[in-house]
Amino acid sequence: MIVSRRPAGLADDSPSLAALSNREHDILRQIVAGRSNPEIAAEFFISVNTVKFHVANILRKLEVRSRLDAAVLFTAAGSGGSE
């Protein structure tokens, strides 16, 4: 069973990271782990298009241009630990 929750150590004073939904945090952790959209879709039992939608929202909310930039920001905030 997959449980949506924000990672411990999330920097709450970072408005961009705090703006992410629980599902967006789940998706971002998968991006940090190097997973592709189809792998993420299979993990969460959602469509690839839904993953793309979440990724686009993550990039917009974090004000970054790529998955790599989002992963670096997330990890730099101390939130990139894998579970």
Side-chain angles (χ1 to χ4, degrees):
M1 177 178 196
I2 298 170
V3 177
S4 291
R5 63 181 171 80
R6 292 187 187 212
L10 175 66
D12 288 330
D13 60 338
S14 173
S16 55
L17 287 175
L20 297 180
S21 70
N22 288 337
R23 178 59 83 185
E24 289 164 346
H25 279 282
D26 293 340
I27 300 292
L28 187 49
R29 277 195 299 277
Q30 296 298 310
I31 291 170
V32 169
R35 295 197 172 76
S36 67
N37 287 351
E39 291 170 331
I40 295 169
E43 175 75 18
F44 294 111
F45 304 101
I46 58 177
S47 74
V48 173
N49 283 337
T50 301
V51 174
K52 289 178 183 180
F53 178 80
H54 286 305
V55 171
N57 284 340
I58 291 165
L59 298 180
R60 178 180 51 81
K61 288 179 180 181
L62 297 182
E63 299 177 0
V64 295
R65 300 184 86 166
S66 71
R67 294 164 64 104
L68 177 61
D69 291 340
V72 168
L73 180 66
F74 193 69
T75 303
S79 303
S82 58
E83 297 180 354

